[in-house]
Amino acid sequence: MKNNKLILTFMVIFTLLLLAACGQDDSTTEKTTTPSEEVVWEENLLNPNEPTKVTFYSYSLGNASMKDGVEKLINNFNETIGAEKGIVVEGVVDADYTKSRTDIQSGLQVDIIQQTFPGLDGARNDLGVVAFEDAFPQEELDAHFEGIPDTALQLGVIQDKMYGMAFTFSTPILYVNGDIFEQAGLDPTVAPKSWEEMFKMAKQIKEKTGIYGLALSPSNSTGWVSDSILYSGGSEILNEDKTAVVFDNKNAISTLETWKQFYAENVAIGGTDTDAVQAFLSGNAAMHLQSTSLYSGFKSTAASAGWDLYGYAMPGFKGEESIPTNSGSAIAVRPDSEQKAQAIWEFVKYITGNEGYTTITKDIGYLPLRPYLAEDENYLKSFVDENPIIKLNIERLSNIKPATIWPGETANEVQQLYLDMFDKALTTDRDVAEVVKETQEEINLLLE
């Protein structure tokens, strides 16, 4: 029976990786975007007797571990605010991110898209996604954004406008199998302070137990962990105006050489995200960098298998703190009328409001965009107190840096070259500096 439970957990988490490729806050929220025009709603166009239909295309609806949470968001809205104001939200499964595109191309109206961050600029260019400032009144935006850290609001900003509002996301968490640490003579309650120290731990674990010290895919799905690693090592990825990549520098090369040691000395498992997760869940690796979207699955597996799970912030390099980036998704909108815009806005406010983020954190495992919910007994305090890894993730919001949003027209091709760079530089005999230089030249040719 225990093996069956573990297998079921593997299946759920593998599906997630394939589809999701992962008191009041005292800080003030600064205005971070530039209105392009003055949007004014003169009257309420919503009518409970003639409900407005809104389509919400969501990849999470096609994922076993997220489906129930997203359906709960939709149903709760439809039964309360939707019924009161005259809005019916229809969830549409968009598991591989293609249905929204094909439906738009065939002339169907797609109102809201759960959009991954790396492809957000592509959606702006190809799918008709509009900026929030061009769809909703600024006073509505200002009121709703209160209590949300500016760092989170910046995640979906392109050219000073918000084309995606952060919806479900996490920062990199270093998960630790406490039993393997103890077998290797390490204290699982003490987190590594740097990648250099983490390498020494991984080496000791392999020497003492024969188990890999770390499980981490070099390309890690969309590359969001790789982004965090490069930023933490002191490198930028794109220049300020997003016209060229700039990671061919000594900091990036040094960072990748440090990371490469793990694979070169056989103390880490690479492969795909699925390979890395399987290694950690099955007890073949002691540490794993991943998002909190998998936390509930890790916690369940640890309890079933009888080992202790710990979680820490990803370490930095050479004594510096790490710079977290975001996994997950944003809400992108395509209203085709003022009435539709009003309906869409009511749903967006709900799913990114207090009740919405309580459901997202409890039932799916992602960060609440409103940190004060973690201190509120009516929302997330008891849950966060019982799950300190969630609290750690919330604390990381203060210095989060947006994961790379690749420029629109060549976004997919550029992203693939970027991901391939890590596989070539980290897991082959090729010189790291040579691979980085080659990749930067290839990408910049596409961006010209």
Side-chain angles (χ1 to χ4, degrees), residues 211-417:
I211 296 170
Y212 289 98
L214 177 68
L216 176 60
S217 167
S219 56
N220 49 85
S221 187
T222 63
W224 69 283
V225 175
S226 300
D227 284 357
S228 181
I229 292 169
L230 287 184
Y231 287 140
S232 298
S235 174
E236 293 297 323
I237 297 171
L238 281 165
N239 62 6
E240 287 189 10
D241 60 3
K242 316 297 182 187
T243 58
V245 292
V246 292
F247 48 66
D248 182 12
N249 59 71
K250 64 180 183 180
N251 286 339
I253 292 166
S254 174
T255 298
L256 292 181
E257 287 174 342
T258 299
W259 186 3
K260 184 170 186 170
Q261 280 186 288
F262 286 81
Y263 307 113
E265 300 205 21
N266 200 33
V267 299
I269 288 180
T272 65
D273 258 0
T274 300
D275 296 330
V277 170
Q278 183 176 17
F280 183 68
L281 283 172
S282 61
N284 289 326
M287 295 178 281
H288 178 46
L289 276 167
Q290 191 52 262
S291 91
T292 50
S293 62
L294 277 68
Y295 170 56
S296 61
F298 289 171
K299 185 179 178 181
S300 174
T301 298
S304 297
W307 51 272
D308 293 323
L309 176 69
Y310 296 85
Y312 304 103
M314 185 185 83
F317 293 86
K318 299 176 182 177
E320 299 294 328
E321 287 190 3
S322 64
I323 298 174
T325 52
N326 56 288
S327 68
S329 67
I331 291 294
V333 300
R334 305 177 67 256
D336 59 349
S337 68
E338 183 176 315
Q339 181 183 39
K340 187 67 70 66
Q342 291 183 13
I344 290 171
W345 181 237
E346 291 297 335
F347 183 62
V348 170
K349 284 195 298 182
Y350 175 78
I351 61 177
T352 59
N354 293 351
E355 290 187 17
Y357 265 100
T358 298
T359 297
I360 285 169
T361 301
K362 281 186 175 181
D363 296 358
I364 302 177
Y366 282 109
L367 269 168
L369 202 62
R370 301 169 180 278
Y372 60 82
L373 297 176
E375 303 297 328
D376 194 322
E377 296 283 0
N378 296 316
Y379 295 104
L380 286 171
K381 188 177 189 317
S382 60
F383 180 80
V384 170
D385 287 347
E386 293 169 8
N387 298 274
I389 287 177
I390 300 294
K391 184 175 184 179
L392 165 67
N393 207 8
I394 295 171
E395 291 170 350
R396 303 238 73 198
L397 271 174
S398 62
N399 65 333
I400 195 170
K401 188 166 184 174
T404 305
I405 298 176
W406 297 107
E409 292 182 3
T410 58
N412 292 337
E413 193 173 357
V414 167
Q415 183 182 13
Q416 192 57 55
L417 287 171

Side-chain angles (χ1 to χ4, degrees), residues 23-323:
Q24 179 79 27
D25 188 356
D26 290 333
S27 64
T28 59
T29 303
E30 298 178 2
K31 189 174 179 180
T32 59
T33 57
T34 304
S36 63
E37 61 182 68
E38 188 68 22
V39 178
V40 178
W41 292 339
E42 300 288 352
E43 61 179 317
N44 174 30
L45 300 177
L46 301 175
N47 183 353
N49 297 319
E50 297 179 8
T52 302
K53 177 183 171 183
V54 171
T55 55
F56 174 35
Y57 283 62
S58 167
Y59 67 75
S60 293
L61 283 171
N63 178 274
S65 68
M66 296 184 184
K67 179 175 179 287
D68 289 348
V70 178
E71 286 183 342
K72 182 177 178 179
L73 286 172
I74 294 171
N75 293 336
N76 284 354
F77 173 82
N78 284 339
E79 292 168 4
T80 56
I81 297 170
E84 175 190 343
K85 297 195 173 185
I87 308 161
V88 175
V89 175
E90 176 189 346
V92 180
V93 177
D94 193 10
D96 59 0
Y97 323 119
T98 61
K99 185 168 177 55
S100 54
R101 179 176 294 272
T102 56
D103 282 0
I104 289 168
Q105 290 172 344
S106 65
L108 295 177
Q109 174 57 25
V110 175
D111 298 316
I112 306 174
I113 303 172
Q114 183 187 7
Q115 176 66 52
T116 58
F117 285 98
L120 185 58
D121 198 24
R124 178 177 73 102
N125 282 274
D126 303 335
L127 304 183
V129 164
V130 302
F132 275 52
E133 297 85 353
D134 296 339
F136 313 119
Q138 191 64 44
E139 62 179 352
E140 288 279 341
L141 297 175
D142 292 342
H144 185 62
F145 292 163
E146 287 185 10
I148 301 175
D150 183 59
T151 48
L153 291 174
Q154 285 288 343
L155 299 180
V157 170
I158 302 171
Q159 296 179 359
D160 296 326
K161 293 184 185 180
M162 179 183 286
Y163 284 90
M165 183 176 181
F167 177 49
T168 56
F169 70 96
S170 173
T171 63
I173 298 296
L174 181 66
Y175 293 97
V176 168
N177 182 318
D179 288 20
I180 297 175
F181 260 54
E182 290 175 350
Q183 291 170 32
L186 296 169
D187 184 351
T189 67
V190 178
K193 295 181 178 62
S194 67
W195 273 73
E196 293 79 10
E197 184 177 349
M198 186 165 69
F199 174 71
K200 291 178 182 178
M201 288 180 168
K203 198 167 183 179
Q204 181 172 329
I205 290 165
K206 189 69 184 293
E207 290 172 351
K208 297 284 188 181
T209 69
I211 296 170
Y212 289 98
L214 177 68
L216 176 60
S217 167
S219 56
N220 49 85
S221 187
T222 63
W224 69 283
V225 175
S226 300
D227 284 357
S228 181
I229 292 169
L230 287 184
Y231 287 140
S232 298
S235 174
E236 293 297 323
I237 297 171
L238 281 165
N239 62 6
E240 287 189 10
D241 60 3
K242 316 297 182 187
T243 58
V245 292
V246 292
F247 48 66
D248 182 12
N249 59 71
K250 64 180 183 180
N251 286 339
I253 292 166
S254 174
T255 298
L256 292 181
E257 287 174 342
T258 299
W259 186 3
K260 184 170 186 170
Q261 280 186 288
F262 286 81
Y263 307 113
E265 300 205 21
N266 200 33
V267 299
I269 288 180
T272 65
D273 258 0
T274 300
D275 296 330
V277 170
Q278 183 176 17
F280 183 68
L281 283 172
S282 61
N284 289 326
M287 295 178 281
H288 178 46
L289 276 167
Q290 191 52 262
S291 91
T292 50
S293 62
L294 277 68
Y295 170 56
S296 61
F298 289 171
K299 185 179 178 181
S300 174
T301 298
S304 297
W307 51 272
D308 293 323
L309 176 69
Y310 296 85
Y312 304 103
M314 185 185 83
F317 293 86
K318 299 176 182 177
E320 299 294 328
E321 287 190 3
S322 64
I323 298 174

